[in-house]
Amino acid sequence: MDLRTAITQGSTLLEQGGIAVPRLTAEVLLAHAIGKERTYFYAHPEEELTELGWIHYGRYLHQRLKRMPTQYITKKQEFWGRDFLVTPDVLIPRPETEHLIETVLAECSKVQRLADIGTGSGAIAVTLALELKAEVFATDISMPALSIARINAGKYGSPVRFVNCDLCSVFDAESLDLVVSNPPYVPKNAHLEPEIRDFEPFLALFAGQNGLEIYPRLIEQAFRVLKPGGRFLAEMGIHQSDALQQMLTQGWIGVHTIADLVGIPRIISAQRTNV
Ligand code: GLN
């Protein structure tokens, strides 16, 4: 069978299985199976698929039909222009989270010491360490996640210091210029696609009944470890902006939100007062 036919057949299977964007997915899986870029198919549609290629492709199609996210099959997700290793030990970085990077670069490009709390794949910390001349720390309560984050930092020679701890507990008082975080914020009973619900790490997603269980502790700890005038930036879920603004009244100034591309307030930014 040639590559073009393999794509058409895979795409049909995925479509029948109710998988979104079936053709693109088939192309991505086939490219991964034969170790080539997708553009290869446009130049070589008539090339025969090897038996080994078939075995890999068949397995990947089967995994995707079982709703495993494509990124866990190919083990990568692009974030801020770089490919990050992802496994089911870490959340797959989302495009919305790039707004966190954008906001840091726009609002706090001169920071010297910062920490990414709940780093997961390390996408935020690794990116910031490469984009800013700052000392970057990253924490996670999950050891398996930190192993993945360390691989991602190593891949790009990004000098992040990783720490296995709960939130900001390891840092000294008033020692950081910036705390960033994409914490778990999904309500426990939220309706989620099986790709997320059945494959992504529970610990990275859910935060109690209303999704707001982590923020009070995170904000309290961020206040402790930030220098006076330091900044706190966090990602949040839909309908969480009011609750978060309430948590950032005493001791915080300049509280504002930044919307994502569909207009949902997605990032909250605040500055610790000078006292
Ligand atoms: N944005 C993720 C989602 O869509 C959730 C990430 C998080 O909880 N921090 O499910």
Side-chain angles (χ1 to χ4, degrees), residues 50 69 184 212 272 274:
T50 62
L212 293 167
R272 185 197 193 281
N274 271 316

Side-chain angles (χ1 to χ4, degrees), residues 91 94 96 182-186 196 204-205 235:
L91 193 81
R94 309 286 203 266
E96 300 91 273
N182 173 20
Y185 58 66
V186 177
I196 302 175
L205 284 169
E235 182 171 321

Side-chain angles (χ1 to χ4, degrees), residues 2 11 17 20-21 31-32 59 64 68-69 81 99 116 124 131 136 140 153 165 216 242 246 251 268:
D2 64 22
S11 171
V21 285
H32 186 56
R59 189 172 75 245
R64 188 67 194 92
M68 181 183 276
H99 292 303
D116 171 26
I124 297 170
E131 301 294 329
V136 177
D140 207 293
C165 72
D242 287 351
Q246 290 291 316
I268 191 144

Side-chain angles (χ1 to χ4, degrees), residues 110-215:
K110 297 215 165 56
V111 299
Q112 292 179 340
R113 270 164 69 94
L114 69 97
D116 171 26
I117 307 303
T119 196
S121 67
I124 297 170
V126 169
T127 303
L128 290 178
L130 293 169
E131 301 294 329
L132 295 171
K133 288 202 176 22
E135 195 179 357
V136 177
F137 296 87
T139 73
D140 207 293
I141 201 167
S142 156
M143 279 296 263
L146 283 175
S147 315
I148 303 298
R150 282 198 178 94
I151 294 172
N152 281 320
K155 180 172 170 190
Y156 292 109
S158 172
V160 179
R161 286 161 61 188
F162 294 99
V163 190
N164 179 221
C165 72
D166 182 41
L167 301 178
C168 312
S169 51
V170 75
F171 300 109
D172 289 339
E174 303 193 1
S175 62
L176 299 170
D177 303 297
L178 169 67
V179 167
V180 293
S181 184
N182 173 20
Y185 58 66
V186 177
K188 216 167 91 194
N189 299 322
H191 171 78
L192 296 176
E193 296 295 326
E195 279 83 352
I196 302 175
R197 190 191 60 221
D198 300 341
F199 291 93
E200 296 207 82
F202 187 91
L203 205 59
L205 284 169
F206 298 104
Q209 287 306 336
N210 55 7
L212 293 167
E213 209 157 72
I214 302 290
Y215 292 114

